[in-house]
Structures are given as structure tokens and as C-alpha cells.
Amino acid sequence: MPHNLDPEEDDLDTIPASQPVFHVEQALLGALLLDPRRLGDVTGIYADSFSTAAHAALFAAINALPPPDPDEHARNITWLNQVLAAGREQARGLTVSYLHTLIQVCPWPRHAAAYARMVEAEHARRRLRAAAEHLLQTAHDDTLAHPVPTVLAEADVLAAVVDDIATRFLPRAGALPRAPASPPAIVPDHTEATEEEQLLLATATARPADIESVRWLLAEDFTQPLHAGLWQCLTTLVRRHEPVDPVTVLWEAQQRGLLHDGREPSDVLRLLAEPAGSVEHWSQRVLARSLLTTVDHAARRIQAYSDDPLITPFQLVAGARRALADIGAVRTRWQHATGRPLPQRARAAPTTRAGPSTRLAPVASPPSARPATGRTP
């Protein structure tokens, strides 16, 4: 190929190639530069499917320009000049040298469809991780006046990404993902949670008749093992229709082994002796915190899946849906607690058989849709 394109000194050959997908993107772009007719074989990806701005700009330029006549393209570089000029509008560092590199590193232009599928798979992984990161950030946003509805709306955004990936990568046999280690969770400050749980336990001990109205609260929602055990003591006594007061709860706690760690009985009696507010109010506070904790754990699990290169796109879907199911279970209890069902988007039907992927023709990237996350009550 002649080297008489409009030259510049900037050279993208020095872009770090730390991930295999970088080389896959180079091979795909090289195939399209060598044989622009291969663009018809490429589906399911957009400019933003690429990992670098330069690659995205080149793909957008190739996709936007009319394909050249094959014979003319074999004889001159007019079309390549047009691609370079269009690509530079978005990535000024693109050079003649880099286009030559792309052409030289492409093993087989006829494999363009396979390269595109690999790019699509890696883009799905990045999309999923980005959505999980945003969910995690929202769950830890202390500025939200009403965090639960906002966080659940963000969980729906993540679920929509999972559903879209599921339509593009249909299941195969043995698709269950392995369980990679989740990133370490941020150790929360449980001071406020401890105080609220203690107020709930004391208030429920003073007003045991109100416990029946908060059956949606579970022991697993508490942050402290002792508090979870005392809640089980209270609900057990109520279910048996036995007397409830600090002494009867203390006795039940002893039967359950809650005092075997050296805890003084007087500490438990003091904990149960200062009621305030209502059982329902404190129960909702405990459940809200439990929901946010569940979201945190689910988002970190999905991050771990997306960071594991051995997990396939459909395995990402399977693992993410399992994590999102944990959020859904607490969400249902939250709806019972508040009496205000939160709007839920329509879920895509689960895929059950293998087959060709449902992929869109390469067109301009669709605008990202994100539901409003304003502070609604």
C-alpha cells in the first residue's frame, strides 16, 4: 500500500495494548480498511463499543462513508484518505502510520464478523461493570433525601443492561458462572444502625402487639448478631402467645445461647428498657438499611463477575440475574412495609435456548437512557 496519505508526526502505535480486546479491535478495523465490503458482515457493535477513542472514531468514519468501488480501492487510497480525515474530526491523534499498522496486523479480513463478535462481548462486559459501579455509588450517596426509590431505579437500569446483553448472547449448555471473590466491601459505620436497632427492640418489647404488623422484617435485616437474635426471641414469644417483657425476652435469649459470649444479662435488660417512637417506624429504618446493604453486595458481585475474563457474556447474565434477585426479594418486602409499590420496568422474557444472536446493524450509537433519579418520596 503506498505511503502517500496526508502524514502527521503523531503516532498511535504506542497506545498500550494491555488487553486482548485491543488487538481484536485492531484486527477488525484492519479488515474493514482492507476490504470495506466486510462492513456488511459486522453487526451488533457501534462506535462506543470500542475501548479507545481512536478506534471508535475510525469505526464511526468507516461506517459513515459510502464504501468504495472494490477495483478503485485496490488501485488507490482515496477512500482511506477520507476515512482518516473523518476519523481525525473525533480523534486528532490518528495518523497514516496507525492506519498502516491496522492493515498489517489483520490476519484475515474474512474473519471480520468473528472479530466484531469479540468486540461486542468485551463491550458487554464494560457496560455491565459501569452500571454496577453506578449502582454502588448511588447506594453510598449520603446526599439522597430518599435513597431507597433512587437506588431501586438505578438497579432497574442495571437490570435493563443485563436484559439487553441476554438478547445478544443466548445461552449455552453449562452456562452457570463460577463465583469469583467479590471486591472488599466498604466497612460501614454501624453506630446509627445499632442505635436504631436497639430502639426497635426496646419499643417492640414494650408494644409486642405491634410486632405482628411488621412481619416483613427479618432477623437477617439487622446489622448486629445479638440484635438479630433478640428479634427472633420477640417474634417467637409473640407467635407462642407468651408474655413479653424484658425479663421474658432475656430468658428466651438465654435458651437460644445469646448470652454464651460472656454478655451480662443486665446489659440486655438495659437495652430493652428504653422504648421510643413506633415499632413500624424503626422497622422501616432497619429494612431500608438492609436493602441498601443488599444492593451493595449485589453490585460488588456483579463487578467481580465482569472483572473475570474467564466468564462468558451469558455467564455474566446468569450471575448478574442471581445477584439482582437478592435485591428483588428485599424490594418486595419494602413494598409491603411502605404500602407503596415502586414502579418496576417490564422484564425481558428469559432466554431458554441457543441460537443465532439478535444483533442490530451498526448505526449511530443510541442515546443512553437512564431513568430520572430525582429525590422522590
Side-chain angles (χ1 to χ4, degrees):
M1 175 179 171
H3 286 256
N4 59 345
L5 294 175
D6 179 21
E8 283 190 5
E9 294 300 324
D10 292 340
D11 195 336
L12 297 191
D13 290 353
T14 58
I15 293 177
S18 59
Q19 300 296 329
V21 70
F22 179 86
H23 301 281
V24 174
E25 291 175 4
Q26 285 189 319
L28 173 58
L29 292 170
L32 299 179
L33 292 172
L34 278 168
D35 188 355
R37 295 172 300 176
R38 296 294 175 183
L39 187 61
D41 301 333
V42 173
T43 57
I45 61 173
Y46 311 100
D48 62 2
S49 301
F50 290 80
S51 62
T52 73
H55 291 175
L58 275 176
F59 183 79
I62 293 170
N63 197 50
L65 292 171
D69 177 81
D71 293 334
E72 287 293 322
H73 186 57
R75 289 195 297 266
N76 62 63
I77 58 171
T78 301
W79 185 78
L80 294 178
N81 271 323
Q82 294 173 347
V83 168
L84 182 61
R88 280 176 170 168
E89 294 180 5
Q90 299 297 324
R92 295 299 301 170
L94 282 171
T95 64
V96 174
S97 174
Y98 194 61
L99 263 64
H100 281 294
T101 296
L102 295 176
I103 291 172
Q104 292 167 1
V105 300
C106 176
W108 294 103
R110 66 174 179 266
H111 294 167
Y115 303 151
R117 187 64 167 162
M118 298 171 194
V119 171
E120 183 182 10
E122 194 62 25
H123 182 229
R125 188 182 305 278
R126 293 197 303 272
R127 289 176 62 203
L128 188 61
R129 194 182 203 291
E133 286 179 348
H134 198 277
L135 176 59
L136 192 61
Q137 292 169 2
T138 306
H140 288 278
D141 188 349
D142 295 332
T143 67
L144 297 175
H146 303 285
V148 170
T150 305
V151 168
L152 290 178
E154 203 61 47
D156 284 344
V157 173
L158 173 56
V161 172
V162 174
D163 287 345
D164 181 63
I165 295 173
T167 65
R168 297 168 181 269
F169 298 90
L170 300 184
R172 298 177 180 176
L176 294 178
R178 66 196 188 99
S182 297
I186 298 174
V187 179
D189 181 1
H190 286 313
T191 301
E192 184 179 12
T194 298
E195 294 174 352
E196 291 179 352
E197 291 173 6
Q198 290 176 349
L199 287 168
L200 169 59
L201 293 169
T203 305
T205 301
R207 304 181 182 92
D210 295 341
I211 294 177
E212 188 66 21
S213 66
V214 295
R215 296 179 63 183
W216 33 262
L217 187 68
L218 304 178
E220 65 196 47
D221 295 320
F222 289 78
T223 61
Q224 305 296 323
L226 174 63
H227 297 170
L230 291 174
W231 183 251
Q232 290 177 320
C233 293
L234 281 163
T235 56
T236 298
L237 291 173
V238 169
R239 187 174 65 250
R240 294 175 184 165
H241 303 289
E242 296 182 5
V244 177
D245 60 37
V247 172
T248 61
V249 174
L250 175 64
W251 186 257
E252 183 69 21
Q254 176 181 269
Q255 303 305 305
R256 291 175 174 267
L258 299 181
L259 306 181
H260 289 175
D261 60 355
R263 188 177 301 273
E264 291 295 331
S266 57
D267 293 339
V268 175
L269 291 174
R270 279 194 298 269
L271 184 155
L272 300 174
E274 299 180 3
S278 71
V279 171
E280 182 179 24
H281 170 75
W282 297 122
S283 295
Q284 287 187 7
R285 295 280 295 178
V286 171
L287 182 58
R289 184 173 285 103
S290 176
L291 187 149
L292 296 177
T293 299
T294 300
V295 168
D296 174 274
H297 292 166
R300 291 180 187 280
R301 282 172 58 194
I302 293 173
Q303 280 184 329
Y305 285 133
S306 62
D307 287 341
D308 188 342
L310 301 183
I311 293 181
T312 66
F314 186 77
Q315 287 176 321
L316 285 176
V317 170
R321 282 180 169 168
R322 286 184 174 185
L324 289 168
D326 293 342
I327 299 176
V330 186
R331 180 181 194 150
T332 299
R333 292 194 288 122
W334 174 258
Q335 292 172 345
H336 286 301
T338 60
R340 295 176 301 183
L342 298 169
Q344 291 181 295
R345 64 182 184 82
R347 293 296 303 273
T351 53
T352 56
R353 61 181 179 84
S357 66
T358 304
R359 297 184 288 167
L360 304 175
V363 294
S365 298
S368 59
R370 183 181 299 281
T373 58
R375 299 177 181 176
T376 56

